[in-house]
Structures are given as C-alpha cells and as structure tokens.
Amino acid sequence: MSFAPVPEQLAYLRKGFAEIIREEDLKERLEQYAKTGRPLRVKAGFDPTAPDLHLGHTVLLRKMKHFQDLGHTVIFLIGDMTGLIGDPTGRNTARPPMTRRNTDQNAETYKAQVFKILDPAKTEVRFNSDWLEPLKFEDVIRLCSKYTVARILERDDFAKRLKDGTPISLHELMYPLAQGFDSVQLECDVELGGTDQKFNLLVGRDLQRDSGQPPQIVATTPLLEGTDGVEKMSKSKGNYIGITEPPKVMFRKIMSISDELMWRYWELLTDVPLSGIAERKQREPMAVKMELARHIVADFHSAAEAQQAEDDFNREVRQGAEPADIQTVDFGSPGDLRVPQMLQHIGLAATRSEAERLIKAGAVEIDGARYTSMVFRAAAGTYTIRGGKKWKRVRVS
Amino acid sequence: MSFAPVPEQLAYLRKGFAEIIREEDLKERLEQYAKTGRPLRVKAGFDPTAPDLHLGHTVLLRKMKHFQDLGHTVIFLIGDMTGLIGDPTGRNTARPPMTRRNTDQNAETYKAQVFKILDPAKTEVRFNSDWLEPLKFEDVIRLCSKYTVARILERDDFAKRLKDGTPISLHELMYPLAQGFDSVQLECDVELGGTDQKFNLLVGRDLQRDSGQPPQIVATTPLLEGTDGVEKMSKSKGNYIGITEPPKVMFRKIMSISDELMWRYWELLTDVPLSGIAERKQREPMAVKMELARHIVADFHSAAEAQQAEDDFNREVRQGAEPADIQTVDFGSPGDLRVPQMLQHIGLAATRSEAERLIKAGAVEIDGARYTSMVFRAAAGTYTIRGGKKWKRVRVS
C-alpha cells in the first residue's frame, strides 16, 4: 500500500475527513515520503480519563489506522497534564488531582481498546506531562508570549462564552498553547482531531512555524451520529455502540440504524474506499447493512463471532423469534433497576412473584442474553426484553 | 509617632493617596496594630531595570516612608521575574533576557537611591523570582485557574487595546496574577502603587482571599506632574527633577514651577501634614517655594547643601546675576552636543573659536555649574547657559 501512487494514497486518506488544512501540503509530504521513505509523524491527542470507547471515538482511530496502513507513524498522545491538574472549573470543589498511577492505569485500558484498530508496532504512546511537567514559570511565560489574546478568543466556544458572560478561567486559554507545544515537541507532520478541535490544532501550526518547523497538516474528523441518526453518539444519550459490547448487542444495534445513516457508518467506520461504498449503493440495503454489522463486529471481536451474531440475528429477528414491531415502554432511570418490578411494569409478568419465577427459570433475556439476576444496572438507552414468549422494549432515560 | 491616636495616624497616611481600598479596613488594621504591636506589612513593587529615580518616583517611596514612620515594615519588591524573561512584545527581536547578576546590580543602584528616603532597618528588599522561578507548569495553571478572562480584560488598558485591535500577548494577562501571587507569598497587609496599577493591586486582594488571607488594603498614589505642570514627570519629556541632580540644579528647577504646582509638590513630596500646608497658603508664595526647594534638596543631599543652593539662587537670580527673563532657543537633540557650536548658535559667542576661548577661560556655566568640556551630554530638557555676561536658555528636544 505504501507504494501506491500518491493521488491514490491521498484519496484513501481524504475519505472521512471533514477538512484537511491544507491538502496540497499533505500531498507534498506524501511525495517526500515516496522519495525518502521517512514516515510522517501523525498525532492525535486523547483525554487521560480513559473512557469506554464507543464507535464515535473510533472515527479518529480509524483515520490514524489509515495513516499506519500507508506506513506512517502514529502518536497516541495522552494529555495527562490535564488530568494531573484536575478540573479546576468548580473553584470551591478542589477535586483531588489524578496521580500518575491513575493515568498509567488508564493508558493500559486505552491500549487494550485502541489496539483493536491501531497497529501497536506503528504506534508511539506518549504522555504530554513528559515535557509539560518540567516547564517552569519562565518557560510558560515564554510560551504564552507567542500568542495574542484576541487570537485565542477567536475560538468559537471562547467567543461565545465571553459574549454570553459564561466565565472562562484564564488557564483555559493555555490549553490550546500546551497542545500546540506538544506538536512542536513531537515534531508532528499531521495532527488529527474532531472538528471541535480545529482551533487547537491550528495553534500547533503557528507554534511550529515559530520554532522553525514546517507547520503540521491539520485534518479533522466529523462527529459521528448515534444510532438515532440525529444526535452525536454519546453514552449519556443512550444512542451509542460501545466497542466492548457483546457481538450480539453490537450487531443488533447496527441493524437498527436507518439506511441513510448506514452510508455514513460505512464511510466513517470502515476501511472500505469510497468506490466500494458507491458500488454497495446499487445493492439491496438490508444485505449491505448486514455486511456492515458483520464488518464492525469482526473489527472488535472476530470474524467467527460476527458470523454467529448474524446467525442469531437471522434466527431471532428475521425468522420471527423476535417480533418485528415491539412496543416500547419507559421505565426507571439510569442506575440499578429491579428486574421483577420492571417485568411487571411493562406487562411481561402479571405479578412480581411471577416475574421472579420467570427470571429463575432462565426465561428472561435482555438484549438477547439470558438474564438471571434480580438487579440490572442500566445506562440510558433502549433494551429489548423477552419474558417467556412475550417481548417489550424498555427505554431508560 | 507610633503611639499617636489612630485617627491621627490615618490622616497622616491618607495624605497624598489618590484612593484607599478600603479606608475602614486600614483603620481596623491600625487599631489591631495599636493593640498587638504587630507592624503591618506594606509592599510596593518596582521594575528590575533600575532607573535614575526622579521626584515622580519618590511620591510612592514617601508614602512607604510614612508607613515606616508609624513603625510598619515596608517591602521593596523588585519584580525581577519580568526582567529575567525580557520584554517579549517584539516577537522577532529576541532581546537577551536579563541575568540575575544584572538584577542584583540594579538592586544595589536602587538601594543607593531609595534609602535616601526609606529607613533600611524597616525595609525588606525582596525579589519575586524567589517564589516565581520555582513554579512549574502545574502551579502556573493552578494560579491562572483562579481568575477569569473577562475579569482580567476589565483592566482599562487591556479593554482599550482589545477594542482597538492592538495585540495583547497571552502572557501579559499573567502579570497581574503573578503580582497578586507576590502579595500572597509576602502576606501583605497593604500594597501601594500608582493609580495605573490599581487593577493589579486589586488582583492581590482576590488571590489572598482565595488563599484564606485577609485581603490587602490597596492604596494608590497619583502621578506627579513634571516641572511644566502639565505632563506626567518623565525623563523623556524633559520635565523631570532627578534625585541625583546637583543641589543647585534641583533647587533652580523647583523654583521654576508654578505656585499652583507648588502646593501639589508640598503634598506629594514632603512629610508636612495637610494642616501645615494649609497654614503655608497664608504666606508669601515665593518664600514658601524657597522653603519647598530647601526641603527637597535637603532630602536628597543635606541641609547645608540646601542652604548653599538657596544662597546661590539668591545671589544669581534674585540679586540680578542671572536675568529674570532669559530667551529660550532650540538646539540639537538629546545626546552629545558640541558646546562651541551651541554657544555660537544661541548667540553667546560670535564664532566657534571665541566660544572655545570662553570655555577654556571658565566663563561658561550650564545650569549654574562651570563647564569646561567641549562636549555636553544632554538629555531632553531646558538648560540655562551663561557665556561671559550673557545668558540664554537652550531647549534640547
């Protein structure tokens, strides 16, 4: 792949980005790479509070992978300086700062997840505390002297908050600079981030120029819509697909998205080039969606598990085991829910004791998995519940 | 004096301040002092680039002295962190930062001058690099988190520059915080500064509150007008009276000010209480102005030299040696001036060789002092020149 012609490489990299600043520069560096064999250094920064990643996070990871596919070095930068400081916005709630130990643990959690997509051999995992922690007052002043207030306040969210009278703490202005300083330290050729990071990524260009480095290319990924097709995928919205969710759940959630959203998922969540996606648009959508679900489940589990999930889906849903239209009922809010009460409330059992009997008999399934505990820790979202031969969907919000 | 009743102390301290925030608080601390005998800690900050001080600078020093008169501890704080950083406004002119050695030398120059007014035994000379230099990135972030951007941008000059589109570098926002941090470190009870420093002094109050200290009292001194009675006293305006100028020059410059300005100088440049000044307003102005000149010359030289300066002034000016109205002629600009050319230009000699003869004969005086060099290093300002029996004033600008 690394010897593909530059225009072809560029097309592969361009797919799925919202914006590239500037594409000509990227082309030029790819040409240099073709000549010299020196891989590009491609950075993306991540929070030190290792989250359970969902597919929304993988849009960026996948673009990192695409650079790796072409032979480049990817820098997975953990912005642990932020974590060491703690969140200082609530001035009186002096939250205990994270320790380096927390951060290291989180880094391990991160690696376990991201190396499902990234190639560990072509990934540098770095911590920005390595160069930010030793900075002294004088260094920070020098760094800050390189940027004007007016320019920092151009950042959309700052401008809005200042206009609305929402407080911005002074230290917040320094994060874009710290992030730009990371690019200088790492001598990045490219920095990737969500569209909401565009301003911060551009600061890196300025600071690199100031340090005599060629300014990095900035490439932003769009925010992925959740399974509802409307809002940004987010755990709190209950419209997410977590990358550690069981194959069966993941498969089912993907099958629940609209045809329109499916094309977006093809673009942002697979390595299939645009030509391949165009070709699939000529085919029967349900089959293409099944292929997408298989694709994604295989990425985070295995091809065998993806096949199993598809078989289960076919048996339960398509062959009538699970009704095609199931009524949705609201119940409870995120947290520990009592399962018998829930079964009674949604009408899968007449009484609590009947519900308990069903559970003990193994006749209750939540999202296709048999459920024998009396308590269910629910996040916000919609769950498909079977109780004996009856089906309901429960919406927890 | 330290056992004078509090209202009397307060009146003594109040004299000459533009504003005290808040006077009730100052009263309360003076009462505590009367009870406990614990002196107040009174800080004023100074640039590390030791200037030749002029009377404008002494307004603040004199207020520091007044606190010392009442038994309090004065902190002469040299803001050397600024100097160590260098002026970063001209981004491409990488000015070499000052070294600690420069700063120490400047501190000695300062002491030689300020101890003409301050009592060394009641003065702590401190350098803010002692606590600012060891701060690390994390500490700086924490410090910056204590203040909002909106609040810092309220500072008049920032607001104006932002509005006018004049660049403000990000690090400039940090100086008020650093200055406030100084007050926390030094546990100041009072901070003094020019009216243009008001905002910065108030930041100290906020940071002290945040650290659980009672907020310092902020007292600002007005800017002193120069001998022209119009513009702020400043070396570059040529309207200054330097505290190391010879007694005769100092005396003569003071005698040249207007009667109106004289009262302001009495208020801001002497320890005479307001009642004493009111009493002098009933007397003959010329005599009162002579007294002022003696007062000030004695402060920076000695009573004997002040008397000598007065005698010289009387002999030369009042008794007709120097004409009362001397014509003023423009000549040259600040720097080394050739004296013969000047004498010829202003009409004190017909030719350059006549001028040279006059100089060699000791018949040339500049500002009352015999001048035998062919070169005169002139700052901007007005000089009284005698050549033989003729007089002219030369304005260098």
Side-chain angles (χ1 to χ4, degrees):
Chain A
M1 191 90 190
S2 54
F3 297 102
V6 166
E8 204 172 295
Q9 291 185 30
L10 200 56
Y12 185 64
L13 292 177
R14 193 195 294 120
K15 176 204 170 202
F17 278 128
E19 192 178 9
I20 298 175
I21 302 168
R22 308 173 314 154
E23 203 173 305
E24 313 86 271
D25 294 342
L26 179 57
K27 180 159 173 274
E28 203 181 299
R29 294 216 199 175
L30 291 174
E31 280 162 356
Q32 280 173 10
Y33 169 57
K35 272 187 227 148
T36 65
R38 189 190 76 86
L40 301 187
R41 295 176 60 71
V42 181
K43 163 188 142 193
F46 293 82
D47 267 351
T49 49
D52 284 336
L53 297 185
H54 57 59
L55 293 184
H57 300 109
T58 70
V59 176
L60 184 60
L61 291 169
R62 187 161 302 277
K63 288 315 298 177
M64 293 167 81
K65 171 183 185 290
H66 292 169
F67 279 92
Q68 288 185 334
D69 289 342
L70 298 178
H72 303 293
T73 304
V74 147
I75 303 163
F76 188 88
L77 178 67
I78 299 184
D80 61 335
M81 202 59 213
T82 325
L84 286 171
I85 291 157
D87 182 353
T89 39
R91 286 185 56 184
N92 293 319
T93 57
R95 196 185 284 198
M98 294 180 72
T99 62
R100 182 64 193 241
R101 174 185 277 261
N102 294 145
T103 308
D104 285 346
Q105 283 166 353
N106 289 344
E108 291 310 312
T109 312
Y110 254 130
K111 285 183 198 167
Q113 297 182 69
V114 302
F115 287 149
K116 290 186 176 186
I117 296 186
L118 297 179
D119 175 354
K122 291 179 191 159
T123 307
E124 279 181 34
V125 177
R126 303 292 290 269
F127 296 86
N128 68 359
S129 62
D130 285 346
W131 49 87
L132 289 179
E133 216 172 1
L135 289 189
K136 298 181 75 182
F137 184 73
E138 201 175 329
D139 305 312
V140 180
I141 290 277
R142 258 185 241 283
L143 179 60
C144 288
S145 75
K146 297 187 191 302
Y147 234 75
T148 69
V149 177
R151 200 131 175 227
I152 288 275
L153 292 180
E154 276 169 17
R155 207 174 83 167
D156 289 347
D157 56 340
F158 285 154
K160 188 174 180 315
R161 283 164 65 189
L162 204 61
K163 187 163 162 282
D164 296 349
T166 312
I168 306 169
S169 280
L170 198 50
H171 75 287
E172 294 184 68
L173 303 194
M174 294 163 67
Y175 285 128
L177 286 174
Q179 195 172 330
F181 186 68
D182 294 343
S183 289
V184 174
Q185 289 295 308
L186 293 166
E187 303 187 33
C188 296
D189 292 292
V190 181
E191 184 168 5
L192 312 183
T195 45
D196 52 354
Q197 286 289 306
K198 178 177 167 185
F199 181 93
N200 293 347
L201 309 188
L202 291 176
V203 172
R205 283 170 69 87
D206 293 326
L207 295 185
Q208 284 181 310
R209 247 187 232 111
D210 190 85
S211 300
Q213 290 178 21
Q216 66 189 7
I217 289 125
V218 160
T220 55
T221 50
L223 300 174
L224 186 74
E225 293 84 1
T227 49
D228 56 6
V230 180
E231 299 213 73
K232 181 189 154 189
M233 184 175 285
S234 136
K235 192 147 190 178
S236 65
K237 295 267 164 52
N239 64 356
Y240 70 101
I241 304 175
I243 71 171
T244 56
E245 292 198 88
K248 203 166 163 178
V249 175
M250 207 178 238
F251 198 98
R252 188 187 294 256
K253 284 187 174 179
I254 296 162
M255 290 309 294
S256 77
I257 67 174
S258 70
D259 289 356
E260 195 192 341
L261 185 62
M262 165 177 72
W263 299 119
R264 186 124 168 111
Y265 278 27
W266 271 110
E267 187 183 345
L268 298 177
L269 302 177
T270 75
D271 302 334
V272 174
L274 290 176
S275 56
I277 297 173
E279 180 265 317
R280 282 173 179 80
K281 287 192 179 166
Q282 311 308 316
R283 297 183 356 216
E284 196 272 308
M286 176 59 95
V288 179
K289 203 181 285 180
M290 301 267 287
E291 188 194 352
L292 173 69
R294 260 199 328 269
H295 240 289
I296 292 176
V297 172
D299 272 344
F300 298 100
H301 298 282
S302 66
E305 285 167 296
Q307 191 54 56
Q308 182 61 48
E310 178 173 358
D311 292 346
D312 289 348
F313 182 82
N314 276 328
R315 195 188 63 248
E316 291 173 13
V317 180
R318 302 190 86 192
Q319 296 167 9
E322 175 181 326
D325 52 343
I326 304 178
Q327 189 197 351
T328 301
V329 182
D330 285 307
F331 182 78
S333 46
D336 285 341
L337 303 179
R338 306 283 314 166
V339 182
Q341 276 84 333
M342 176 173 75
L343 294 177
Q344 185 188 13
H345 178 84
I346 63 178
L348 295 191
T351 63
R352 279 209 340 233
S353 51
E354 188 198 330
E356 283 171 18
R357 274 197 304 276
L358 280 172
I359 295 166
K360 284 176 188 153
V364 172
E365 275 183 9
I366 299 183
D367 278 345
R370 186 176 298 170
Y371 207 81
T372 54
S373 162
M374 295 296 159
V375 176
F376 173 54
R377 168 151 293 185
T382 303
Y383 300 91
T384 305
I385 316 284
R386 178 177 70 82
K389 295 191 167 173
K390 292 188 279 186
W391 298 79
K392 281 281 165 68
R393 280 213 174 86
V394 165
R395 183 163 48 220
V396 178
S397 60
Chain B
M1 191 88 191
S2 53
F3 296 102
V6 166
E8 205 172 295
Q9 292 186 30
L10 200 56
Y12 185 64
L13 292 177
R14 194 195 295 121
K15 176 204 169 200
F17 277 129
E19 190 177 10
I20 299 175
I21 301 168
R22 307 174 315 156
E23 205 173 303
E24 314 86 271
D25 294 343
L26 180 56
K27 181 159 171 273
E28 203 181 298
R29 294 216 199 175
L30 291 174
E31 281 161 356
Q32 280 174 11
Y33 169 54
K35 272 187 227 146
T36 63
R38 189 190 77 83
L40 301 187
R41 295 176 62 71
V42 181
K43 163 187 142 193
F46 292 82
D47 268 350
T49 49
D52 284 334
L53 296 186
H54 56 59
L55 293 184
H57 300 108
T58 70
V59 176
L60 183 60
L61 292 169
R62 187 161 303 276
K63 290 314 298 176
M64 295 167 80
K65 171 182 183 293
H66 292 170
F67 279 92
Q68 288 185 334
D69 289 343
L70 298 179
H72 303 293
T73 304
V74 146
I75 304 162
F76 187 90
L77 177 68
I78 300 184
D80 62 333
M81 202 60 211
T82 325
L84 286 170
I85 292 156
D87 181 354
T89 40
R91 285 185 56 184
N92 293 320
T93 59
R95 197 185 284 200
M98 294 179 71
T99 62
R100 181 64 194 241
R101 175 185 276 264
N102 294 146
T103 308
D104 285 345
Q105 283 167 352
N106 289 343
E108 291 309 312
T109 312
Y110 254 130
K111 285 183 198 166
Q113 297 182 70
V114 302
F115 287 150
K116 290 185 175 186
I117 295 187
L118 297 180
D119 175 354
K122 293 178 190 157
T123 306
E124 279 181 35
V125 177
R126 303 291 293 269
F127 296 87
N128 68 359
S129 62
D130 285 347
W131 48 86
L132 289 178
E133 215 172 0
L135 289 188
K136 297 180 76 180
F137 184 73
E138 201 173 331
D139 305 310
V140 180
I141 290 277
R142 258 184 241 284
L143 180 61
C144 289
S145 75
K146 297 189 191 300
Y147 234 75
T148 69
V149 177
R151 202 131 172 227
I152 289 275
L153 293 180
E154 275 168 17
R155 205 174 86 166
D156 288 348
D157 56 338
F158 285 156
K160 188 173 179 317
R161 283 164 65 188
L162 203 62
K163 187 164 162 280
D164 296 350
T166 313
I168 306 169
S169 279
L170 197 48
H171 76 289
E172 294 184 67
L173 302 194
M174 294 163 69
Y175 285 128
L177 286 174
Q179 194 171 331
F181 186 67
D182 294 344
S183 289
V184 173
Q185 289 295 310
L186 293 166
E187 303 187 34
C188 295
D189 292 292
V190 182
E191 184 167 6
L192 312 183
T195 44
D196 52 352
Q197 286 288 307
K198 179 177 167 184
F199 181 93
N200 293 348
L201 309 189
L202 291 175
V203 172
R205 284 170 68 85
D206 293 326
L207 295 186
Q208 285 180 309
R209 248 188 232 108
D210 189 87
S211 300
Q213 291 178 20
Q216 66 188 9
I217 289 124
V218 160
T220 55
T221 51
L223 301 174
L224 185 75
E225 294 84 1
T227 49
D228 55 5
V230 181
E231 298 213 74
K232 182 187 152 190
M233 185 176 283
S234 134
K235 192 147 189 177
S236 66
K237 295 266 163 56
N239 63 357
Y240 71 102
I241 305 176
I243 70 170
T244 56
E245 290 198 90
K248 202 166 164 177
V249 176
M250 207 178 240
F251 198 98
R252 189 186 295 256
K253 284 188 176 179
I254 295 162
M255 290 310 294
S256 78
I257 67 174
S258 70
D259 291 354
E260 195 192 341
L261 185 61
M262 167 177 70
W263 300 118
R264 187 129 168 107
Y265 278 28
W266 271 109
E267 187 185 346
L268 299 177
L269 301 177
T270 75
D271 301 336
V272 174
L274 289 176
S275 56
I277 297 173
E279 182 264 319
R280 281 173 179 80
K281 287 191 178 167
Q282 309 309 315
R283 300 184 357 216
E284 197 272 307
M286 175 59 95
V288 179
K289 202 181 285 177
M290 300 268 287
E291 188 194 352
L292 174 69
R294 261 199 325 270
H295 241 289
I296 293 175
V297 173
D299 273 344
F300 299 101
H301 298 283
S302 66
E305 286 169 296
Q307 191 54 56
Q308 182 61 47
E310 180 174 357
D311 293 346
D312 290 348
F313 182 81
N314 275 328
R315 196 187 65 248
E316 292 172 11
V317 179
R318 300 190 86 195
Q319 298 168 6
E322 177 181 327
D325 52 340
I326 305 178
Q327 190 197 350
T328 301
V329 182
D330 286 308
F331 181 78
S333 45
D336 286 339
L337 303 180
R338 306 286 311 169
V339 182
Q341 277 84 334
M342 177 171 74
L343 293 176
Q344 185 188 14
H345 178 83
I346 64 180
L348 295 191
T351 62
R352 279 214 334 239
S353 50
E354 187 199 330
E356 283 170 20
R357 272 195 306 276
L358 279 172
I359 294 166
K360 284 176 190 155
V364 172
E365 276 182 11
I366 298 183
D367 278 343
R370 185 175 298 171
Y371 207 85
T372 55
S373 162
M374 296 296 160
V375 175
F376 173 56
R377 169 151 292 183
T382 303
Y383 301 90
T384 304
I385 317 283
R386 179 176 70 81
K389 296 189 169 177
K390 292 187 279 185
W391 299 80
K392 281 282 166 66
R393 280 212 176 85
V394 165
R395 184 165 45 221
V396 177
S397 60

